[in-house]
mmCIF file of all heavy atoms in Angstrom:
data_model
loop_
_atom_site.group_PDB
_atom_site.id
_atom_site.type_symbol
_atom_site.label_atom_id
_atom_site.label_comp_id
_atom_site.label_asym_id
_atom_site.label_seq_id
_atom_site.Cartn_x
_atom_site.Cartn_y
_atom_site.Cartn_z
ATOM 1 N N ALA A 102 93.390 84.009 101.317
ATOM 2 C CA ALA A 102 93.983 84.382 102.611
ATOM 3 C C ALA A 102 94.816 85.649 102.481
ATOM 4 O O ALA A 102 94.796 86.507 103.369
ATOM 5 C CB ALA A 102 94.835 83.229 103.140
ATOM 6 N N LEU A 103 95.536 85.788 101.380
ATOM 7 C CA LEU A 103 96.369 86.970 101.174
ATOM 8 C C LEU A 103 95.524 88.232 101.021
ATOM 9 O O LEU A 103 95.841 89.271 101.603
ATOM 10 C CB LEU A 103 97.257 86.774 99.941
ATOM 11 C CG LEU A 103 98.319 85.684 100.053
ATOM 12 C CD1 LEU A 103 98.920 85.366 98.682
ATOM 13 C CD2 LEU A 103 99.399 86.093 101.031
ATOM 14 N N LEU A 104 94.446 88.149 100.259
ATOM 15 C CA LEU A 104 93.557 89.308 100.092
ATOM 16 C C LEU A 104 92.882 89.668 101.410
ATOM 17 O O LEU A 104 92.761 90.845 101.749
ATOM 18 C CB LEU A 104 92.499 89.023 99.024
ATOM 19 C CG LEU A 104 92.967 89.065 97.575
ATOM 20 C CD1 LEU A 104 91.915 88.462 96.657
ATOM 21 C CD2 LEU A 104 93.308 90.485 97.156
ATOM 22 N N GLU A 105 92.461 88.664 102.146
ATOM 23 C CA GLU A 105 91.818 88.922 103.436
ATOM 24 C C GLU A 105 92.794 89.571 104.409
ATOM 25 O O GLU A 105 92.458 90.534 105.096
ATOM 26 C CB GLU A 105 91.274 87.615 104.015
ATOM 27 C CG GLU A 105 90.421 87.802 105.232
ATOM 28 C CD GLU A 105 89.708 86.533 105.647
ATOM 29 O OE1 GLU A 105 89.934 85.465 105.058
ATOM 30 O OE2 GLU A 105 88.900 86.626 106.589
ATOM 31 N N ALA A 106 94.022 89.073 104.438
ATOM 32 C CA ALA A 106 95.028 89.608 105.356
ATOM 33 C C ALA A 106 95.459 91.028 104.989
ATOM 34 O O ALA A 106 95.840 91.807 105.859
ATOM 35 C CB ALA A 106 96.250 88.686 105.385
ATOM 36 N N GLN A 107 95.401 91.395 103.716
ATOM 37 C CA GLN A 107 95.863 92.710 103.274
ATOM 38 C C GLN A 107 94.868 93.826 103.577
ATOM 39 O O GLN A 107 95.260 94.989 103.686
ATOM 40 C CB GLN A 107 96.151 92.687 101.765
ATOM 41 C CG GLN A 107 96.763 93.956 101.223
ATOM 42 C CD GLN A 107 98.155 94.212 101.759
ATOM 43 O OE1 GLN A 107 99.022 93.367 101.655
ATOM 44 N NE2 GLN A 107 98.365 95.367 102.354
ATOM 45 N N ALA A 108 93.611 93.502 103.729
ATOM 46 C CA ALA A 108 92.576 94.545 103.873
ATOM 47 C C ALA A 108 92.828 95.460 105.067
ATOM 48 O O ALA A 108 92.742 96.685 104.936
ATOM 49 C CB ALA A 108 91.194 93.902 103.958
ATOM 50 N N GLY A 109 93.130 94.910 106.223
ATOM 51 C CA GLY A 109 93.372 95.737 107.412
ATOM 52 C C GLY A 109 94.585 96.634 107.268
ATOM 53 O O GLY A 109 94.485 97.853 107.509
ATOM 54 N N PRO A 110 95.727 96.082 106.885
ATOM 55 C CA PRO A 110 96.902 96.939 106.689
ATOM 56 C C PRO A 110 96.696 98.032 105.634
ATOM 57 O O PRO A 110 97.189 99.151 105.797
ATOM 58 C CB PRO A 110 97.996 95.953 106.267
ATOM 59 C CG PRO A 110 97.594 94.667 106.913
ATOM 60 C CD PRO A 110 96.087 94.659 106.838
ATOM 61 N N THR A 111 95.967 97.739 104.580
ATOM 62 C CA THR A 111 95.696 98.762 103.574
ATOM 63 C C THR A 111 94.878 99.901 104.173
ATOM 64 O O THR A 111 95.194 101.083 103.983
ATOM 65 C CB THR A 111 94.985 98.156 102.354
ATOM 66 O OG1 THR A 111 95.894 97.259 101.702
ATOM 67 C CG2 THR A 111 94.539 99.227 101.358
ATOM 68 N N ALA A 112 93.844 99.560 104.922
ATOM 69 C CA ALA A 112 93.038 100.594 105.580
ATOM 70 C C ALA A 112 93.894 101.415 106.535
ATOM 71 O O ALA A 112 93.766 102.646 106.592
ATOM 72 C CB ALA A 112 91.862 99.952 106.313
ATOM 73 N N ASP A 113 94.792 100.760 107.261
ATOM 74 C CA ASP A 113 95.675 101.473 108.189
ATOM 75 C C ASP A 113 96.572 102.471 107.464
ATOM 76 O O ASP A 113 96.807 103.580 107.954
ATOM 77 C CB ASP A 113 96.541 100.488 108.977
ATOM 78 C CG ASP A 113 95.730 99.650 109.958
ATOM 79 O OD1 ASP A 113 94.569 100.010 110.268
ATOM 80 O OD2 ASP A 113 96.267 98.608 110.407
ATOM 81 N N VAL A 114 97.074 102.080 106.298
ATOM 82 C CA VAL A 114 97.929 102.986 105.520
ATOM 83 C C VAL A 114 97.145 104.245 105.161
ATOM 84 O O VAL A 114 97.641 105.370 105.326
ATOM 85 C CB VAL A 114 98.468 102.294 104.250
ATOM 86 C CG1 VAL A 114 99.059 103.313 103.274
ATOM 87 C CG2 VAL A 114 99.507 101.246 104.613
ATOM 88 N N PHE A 115 95.927 104.079 104.683
ATOM 89 C CA PHE A 115 95.151 105.260 104.283
ATOM 90 C C PHE A 115 94.749 106.099 105.494
ATOM 91 O O PHE A 115 94.734 107.320 105.409
ATOM 92 C CB PHE A 115 93.954 104.852 103.421
ATOM 93 C CG PHE A 115 94.373 104.527 102.021
ATOM 94 C CD1 PHE A 115 94.586 103.217 101.622
ATOM 95 C CD2 PHE A 115 94.610 105.542 101.100
ATOM 96 C CE1 PHE A 115 95.007 102.915 100.336
ATOM 97 C CE2 PHE A 115 95.036 105.259 99.819
ATOM 98 C CZ PHE A 115 95.234 103.948 99.436
ATOM 99 N N ARG A 116 94.473 105.472 106.613
ATOM 100 C CA ARG A 116 94.162 106.236 107.829
ATOM 101 C C ARG A 116 95.372 107.062 108.283
ATOM 102 O O ARG A 116 95.210 108.144 108.838
ATOM 103 C CB ARG A 116 93.696 105.305 108.929
ATOM 104 C CG ARG A 116 92.272 104.843 108.749
ATOM 105 C CD ARG A 116 91.745 104.104 109.970
ATOM 106 N NE ARG A 116 90.420 103.611 109.701
ATOM 107 C CZ ARG A 116 90.137 102.343 109.398
ATOM 108 N NH1 ARG A 116 91.094 101.429 109.371
ATOM 109 N NH2 ARG A 116 88.902 101.982 109.154
ATOM 110 N N ALA A 117 96.569 106.559 108.026
ATOM 111 C CA ALA A 117 97.779 107.308 108.388
ATOM 112 C C ALA A 117 97.889 108.611 107.598
ATOM 113 O O ALA A 117 98.568 109.541 108.023
ATOM 114 C CB ALA A 117 99.028 106.447 108.166
ATOM 115 N N PHE A 118 97.209 108.676 106.469
ATOM 116 C CA PHE A 118 97.205 109.873 105.627
ATOM 117 C C PHE A 118 95.977 110.747 105.869
ATOM 118 O O PHE A 118 95.689 111.642 105.077
ATOM 119 C CB PHE A 118 97.236 109.481 104.144
ATOM 120 C CG PHE A 118 98.575 109.047 103.644
ATOM 121 C CD1 PHE A 118 98.903 107.704 103.590
ATOM 122 C CD2 PHE A 118 99.507 109.985 103.223
ATOM 123 C CE1 PHE A 118 100.137 107.298 103.117
ATOM 124 C CE2 PHE A 118 100.744 109.588 102.742
ATOM 125 C CZ PHE A 118 101.062 108.234 102.697
ATOM 126 N N ALA A 119 95.252 110.506 106.951
ATOM 127 C CA ALA A 119 93.972 111.179 107.185
ATOM 128 C C ALA A 119 94.047 112.700 107.068
ATOM 129 O O ALA A 119 93.098 113.338 106.614
ATOM 130 C CB ALA A 119 93.412 110.791 108.549
ATOM 131 N N LEU A 120 95.171 113.285 107.450
ATOM 132 C CA LEU A 120 95.316 114.737 107.382
ATOM 133 C C LEU A 120 95.891 115.214 106.052
ATOM 134 O O LEU A 120 96.040 116.423 105.831
ATOM 135 C CB LEU A 120 96.183 115.242 108.541
ATOM 136 C CG LEU A 120 95.628 114.948 109.934
ATOM 137 C CD1 LEU A 120 96.610 115.410 111.007
ATOM 138 C CD2 LEU A 120 94.263 115.600 110.112
ATOM 139 N N ARG A 121 96.221 114.261 105.164
ATOM 140 C CA ARG A 121 96.847 114.635 103.879
ATOM 141 C C ARG A 121 96.191 113.896 102.713
ATOM 142 O O ARG A 121 96.840 113.559 101.742
ATOM 143 C CB ARG A 121 98.337 114.299 103.926
ATOM 144 C CG ARG A 121 99.069 115.074 105.026
ATOM 145 C CD ARG A 121 100.541 114.845 104.998
ATOM 146 N NE ARG A 121 101.067 115.366 103.733
ATOM 147 C CZ ARG A 121 102.156 114.874 103.143
ATOM 148 N NH1 ARG A 121 102.827 113.890 103.678
ATOM 149 N NH2 ARG A 121 102.585 115.381 102.020
ATOM 150 N N LEU A 122 94.906 113.650 102.811
ATOM 151 C CA LEU A 122 94.214 112.871 101.790
ATOM 152 C C LEU A 122 94.211 113.541 100.422
ATOM 153 O O LEU A 122 94.112 112.869 99.395
ATOM 154 C CB LEU A 122 92.775 112.581 102.216
ATOM 155 C CG LEU A 122 92.638 111.639 103.398
ATOM 156 C CD1 LEU A 122 91.179 111.573 103.839
ATOM 157 C CD2 LEU A 122 93.147 110.248 103.040
ATOM 158 N N ASP A 123 94.312 114.836 100.395
ATOM 159 C CA ASP A 123 94.273 115.555 99.126
ATOM 160 C C ASP A 123 95.666 115.926 98.620
ATOM 161 O O ASP A 123 95.807 116.738 97.704
ATOM 162 C CB ASP A 123 93.374 116.782 99.259
ATOM 163 C CG ASP A 123 91.941 116.361 99.566
ATOM 164 O OD1 ASP A 123 91.439 115.430 98.907
ATOM 165 O OD2 ASP A 123 91.337 116.942 100.480
ATOM 166 N N HIS A 124 96.673 115.304 99.205
ATOM 167 C CA HIS A 124 98.062 115.523 98.805
ATOM 168 C C HIS A 124 98.415 114.654 97.603
ATOM 169 O O HIS A 124 98.075 113.475 97.549
ATOM 170 C CB HIS A 124 98.998 115.186 99.972
ATOM 171 C CG HIS A 124 100.442 115.154 99.599
ATOM 172 N ND1 HIS A 124 101.156 116.284 99.275
ATOM 173 C CD2 HIS A 124 101.305 114.109 99.478
ATOM 174 C CE1 HIS A 124 102.401 115.936 98.974
ATOM 175 N NE2 HIS A 124 102.515 114.627 99.098
ATOM 176 N N ALA A 125 99.104 115.236 96.641
ATOM 177 C CA ALA A 125 99.705 114.507 95.522
ATOM 178 C C ALA A 125 101.195 114.838 95.549
ATOM 179 O O ALA A 125 101.574 115.971 95.865
ATOM 180 C CB ALA A 125 99.090 114.935 94.202
ATOM 181 N N TYR A 126 102.035 113.894 95.222
ATOM 182 C CA TYR A 126 103.477 114.140 95.336
ATOM 183 C C TYR A 126 104.028 115.026 94.234
ATOM 184 O O TYR A 126 105.140 115.552 94.347
ATOM 185 C CB TYR A 126 104.269 112.832 95.438
ATOM 186 C CG TYR A 126 104.379 112.036 94.157
ATOM 187 C CD1 TYR A 126 105.417 112.267 93.260
ATOM 188 C CD2 TYR A 126 103.468 111.027 93.867
ATOM 189 C CE1 TYR A 126 105.529 111.534 92.093
ATOM 190 C CE2 TYR A 126 103.584 110.282 92.713
ATOM 191 C CZ TYR A 126 104.601 110.542 91.833
ATOM 192 O OH TYR A 126 104.712 109.814 90.678
ATOM 193 N N ALA A 127 103.241 115.224 93.175
ATOM 194 C CA ALA A 127 103.670 116.103 92.076
ATOM 195 C C ALA A 127 102.421 116.559 91.320
ATOM 196 O O ALA A 127 101.381 115.898 91.373
ATOM 197 C CB ALA A 127 104.622 115.362 91.141
ATOM 198 N N PRO A 128 102.540 117.681 90.598
ATOM 199 C CA PRO A 128 101.397 118.119 89.794
ATOM 200 C C PRO A 128 100.996 117.030 88.793
ATOM 201 O O PRO A 128 101.843 116.365 88.199
ATOM 202 C CB PRO A 128 101.928 119.360 89.072
ATOM 203 C CG PRO A 128 103.054 119.849 89.933
ATOM 204 C CD PRO A 128 103.667 118.604 90.532
ATOM 205 N N GLY A 129 99.705 116.842 88.651
ATOM 206 C CA GLY A 129 99.199 115.853 87.704
ATOM 207 C C GLY A 129 99.146 114.433 88.241
ATOM 208 O O GLY A 129 98.684 113.532 87.535
#
């Protein structure tokens, strides 16, 4: 149940970064 419930929120987090997918917070 926990894995099933987490899938949607995880996808939402990555969609929130849609314009910054190639961003890294520091070199390397």
Side-chain angles (χ1 to χ4, degrees):
L103 294 167
L104 285 167
E105 189 170 5
Q107 186 66 54
T111 294
D113 292 344
V114 166
F115 283 98
R116 283 190 184 102
F118 283 96
L120 299 176
R121 299 185 64 208
L122 292 173
D123 297 314
H124 170 70
Y126 73 88

